[in-house]
Amino acid sequence: MRCPFCAHDNSQVKDSRPTEDGSAIRRRRQCEDCGARFTTFERVQLRELTVVKSESRREPFDRAKLERSIAIACRKRPVPPERIEKLVSSIQRQLETSGESEMPSARIGEMVMEGLKALDPVAYIRFASVYKDFREARDFEEFAGSVGEVSGG
Ligand SMILES: [Zn+2]
């Protein structure tokens, strides 16, 4: 890391620890040339977050794609676009603060379902049916039944 005081190319890491919320690593550095001390923060950039779909399938996190899949679940439902936007932002924030560079798609799917459950029960079931890929109609009925209990309470 280049020294911000004298622009020397190398600095030594004196201390390295996570920030309080765990979303970043804070490093105390000292310039090898002028001896000045400065602090850097290292955090995961979401465009570098990898979504792990299966053993062999990985792809970069795509916020637009996430927003699209939620919007499809909410089609013709009384869910204002700004609520969808808000849900996507909240999921993005959870991903950022996780500090992980890889995230299973199943985990993101659960975050979406969690959010949709509070927004609209029909959108929730639609998303879940695509996401969970129900094999039997009976599985879906059982699931829909459990949603009825959840949203009724
Ligand atoms: Zn320096």
Side-chain angles (χ1 to χ4, degrees):
M1 182 68 68
R2 177 173 290 174
C3 171
F5 300 97
C6 73
H8 182 70
D9 275 334
N10 293 308
S11 59
Q12 271 184 7
V13 176
K14 293 292 179 187
D15 181 49
S16 186
R17 62 181 67 178
T19 55
E20 223 167 88
D21 65 359
S23 69
I25 303 288
R26 180 180 186 274
R27 297 193 204 282
R28 289 289 299 162
R29 295 172 180 270
Q30 184 165 26
C31 173
E32 289 179 352
D33 190 30
C34 75
R37 287 168 180 273
F38 56 99
T39 304
T40 56
F41 290 88
E42 177 185 308
R43 61 178 77 239
V44 172
Q45 290 210 327
L46 266 188
R47 64 169 177 274
E48 291 170 11
L49 181 83
T50 302
V51 179
V52 182
K53 309 204 97 171
S54 66
E55 287 288 314
S56 55
R57 281 180 63 216
R58 285 153 195 270
E59 59 183 47
F61 174 76
D62 182 347
R63 184 191 158 114
K65 197 174 162 185
L66 178 64
E67 190 160 355
R68 249 187 339 264
S69 63
I70 296 174
I72 288 169
C74 293
R75 191 175 285 160
K76 293 188 177 166
R77 295 297 304 164
V79 180
E82 58 268 24
R83 295 296 300 274
I84 296 173
E85 172 75 27
K86 218 172 148 188
L87 173 58
V88 173
S89 294
S90 131
I91 290 168
Q92 184 166 350
R93 212 162 37 244
Q94 289 178 63
L95 294 171
E96 273 168 344
T97 53
S98 78
E100 302 287 340
S101 60
E102 292 195 340
M103 184 66 68
S105 59
R107 185 72 200 91
I108 298 174
E110 280 162 20
M111 291 177 186
V112 173
M113 284 165 58
E114 192 76 17
L116 282 180
K117 204 193 279 181
L119 275 187
D120 185 85
V122 172
Y124 171 60
I125 291 174
R126 279 183 192 158
F127 184 87
S129 64
V130 173
Y131 165 73
K132 282 183 179 276
D133 187 22
F134 294 106
R135 278 176 189 82
E136 308 274 341
R138 201 169 53 88
D139 291 347
F140 181 76
E141 277 164 28
E142 273 174 26
F143 173 79
S146 74
V147 173
E149 287 160 31
V150 172
S151 59

